[in-house]
Amino acid sequence: MIKEFSLEEGRILAGRFTVTQFLGGGTEGEVYKVVEAHTNKERAIKLFYPHKNPGFKVSARYAKKLDKLRNSPLVLDYLSHEVLIIRREKVACLVSEFIQGEILGDFVYKQRGKKLGIFPAIHLLYTIVKGVESIHWHGEYHGDLHLDNIIIRRFGLEFDLSIIDFHHWGDSKKENREEDLVKAIRIFYDILGGAQKYNSLPKSIKYIICGLKRSLILSRFRTATDLRTHLETMDWSDAI
Ligand SMILES: Nc1ncnc2c1ncn2[C@@H]1O[C@H](COP(=O)(O)OP(=O)(O)O)[C@@H](O)[C@H]1O
Ligand SMILES: [Mg+2]
């Protein structure tokens, strides 16, 4: 049983992808940067551990979810689902675009005070909430939103973000949508400096974070649309 792929650089997958870098690994599998033969395009390949992916159900579900979300603005572009042979085992993998950017957590950590200012933070939350709203509108959810599952490509007047690493949970879609919303607010709290800075935040910002109380958040913002509308119309003059 394969518990670790540990693919070396230069290895060829599916007869056409050359491994160039290990990008990350979790309990479900490993992600590699690869270069596609003939086109020289960089891609990301997520390989699923076979014992965590019986009948390729997990990987196929993930692929279908990404395919369904192909018109959602923040969702990484899915390319294909493949089955490879690694050490004589069938291994499913997902090929997607390679996102040239920086993990949001690393990006924030490099900023002065390891946090973002209030205006950029509101702006970033707004971008994330619009992306989440679109995912929910398509009848899906992310399932594991946090600072390390968002890649930031450009940080200017507009942000260019991508959300990666979707998950499937057995619970109801409504619960998962609510969880996405709570997690988006958690990201907002984190990029503003977390527990250390929370007390000194202006009222209009604390109104959104609700002290991270799930029930309070969900009574104030029932859906991502509620939160988006609030962000569009809120008075945050106390935050300047
Ligand atoms: N499409 C992609 N483009 C660029 N980097 C990626 C891509 N997918 C994953 N990564 C990198 O690989 C890491 C792990 O991928 P992820 O899908 O989050 O899997 P997991 O967290 O389950 O290990 C990410 O944190 C990111 O740095
Ligand atoms: Mg991840």
Side-chain angles (χ1 to χ4, degrees):
M1 187 167 78
I2 304 182
K3 287 244 165 85
E4 214 183 82
F5 298 117
S6 307
L7 302 181
E8 54 310 332
E9 272 178 39
R11 164 140 192 179
I12 298 186
L13 299 175
R16 65 183 194 286
F17 298 110
T18 309
V19 172
T20 56
Q21 197 189 335
F22 171 74
L23 292 175
T27 53
E28 291 203 332
E30 294 167 22
V31 185
Y32 291 86
K33 182 175 172 180
V34 299
V35 174
E36 188 180 61
H38 308 297
T39 64
N40 274 340
K41 288 277 177 201
E42 288 180 325
R43 308 287 189 213
I45 286 196
K46 186 167 198 151
L47 296 156
F48 291 77
Y49 295 131
H51 63 286
K52 294 279 177 91
N53 187 26
F56 309 132
K57 278 206 183 102
V58 178
S59 55
R61 197 192 288 127
Y62 191 170
K64 286 188 213 160
K65 189 160 175 170
L66 289 181
D67 185 60
K68 193 168 161 193
L69 294 172
R70 67 193 170 282
N71 293 322
S72 255
L74 302 194
V75 178
L76 79 161
D77 288 341
Y78 158 74
L79 296 168
S80 64
H81 178 279
E82 321 250 344
V83 178
L84 321 169
I85 307 284
I86 297 179
R87 285 174 227 132
R88 275 181 260 125
E89 272 198 72
K90 285 186 177 173
V91 176
C93 72
L94 217 95
V95 186
S96 67
E97 66 165 326
F98 174 76
I99 303 154
Q100 197 80 50
E102 193 170 12
I103 291 292
L104 186 57
D106 296 344
F107 174 81
V108 171
Y109 197 76
K110 280 196 206 152
Q111 306 302 309
R112 201 183 318 131
K114 300 182 171 51
K115 63 183 183 65
L116 295 184
I118 287 177
F119 181 61
I122 295 176
H123 207 52
L124 201 105
L125 174 65
Y126 183 56
T127 306
I128 294 171
V129 170
K130 278 196 295 182
V132 168
E133 184 184 25
S134 168
I135 293 168
H136 293 179
W137 187 83
H138 284 91
E140 284 299 341
Y141 59 86
H142 182 276
D144 193 23
L145 270 184
H146 57 76
L147 283 176
D148 295 335
N149 281 335
I150 297 180
I151 299 179
I152 180 161
R153 242 189 285 233
R154 201 167 59 85
F155 184 78
L157 192 52
E158 293 218 23
F159 299 97
D160 193 349
L161 301 182
S162 288
I163 303 184
I164 59 170
D165 205 9
F166 287 66
H167 279 256
H168 172 84
W169 307 107
D171 321 327
S172 79
K173 289 208 166 166
K174 180 171 179 287
E175 274 169 65
N176 281 296
R177 283 195 301 269
E178 289 174 351
E179 190 62 19
D180 281 353
L181 185 58
V182 171
K183 291 277 176 63
I185 287 174
R186 170 75 208 213
I187 290 174
F188 184 51
Y189 166 86
D190 287 335
I191 63 181
L192 282 167
Q196 250 189 344
K197 301 284 172 198
Y198 186 70
N199 279 335
S200 57
L201 291 174
K203 252 173 110 179
S204 62
I205 302 301
K206 284 187 184 156
Y207 180 86
I208 297 169
I209 299 175
C210 306
L212 292 178
K213 287 191 194 76
R214 184 191 170 87
S215 55
L216 187 55
I217 292 174
L218 295 172
S219 65
R220 245 170 223 172
F221 313 111
R222 284 184 355 270
T223 62
T225 305
D226 282 357
L227 178 55
R228 176 185 52 78
T229 315
H230 175 76
L231 293 173
E232 284 169 353
T233 54
M234 72 186 266
D235 177 351
W236 42 276
S237 48
D238 67 341
I240 302 177

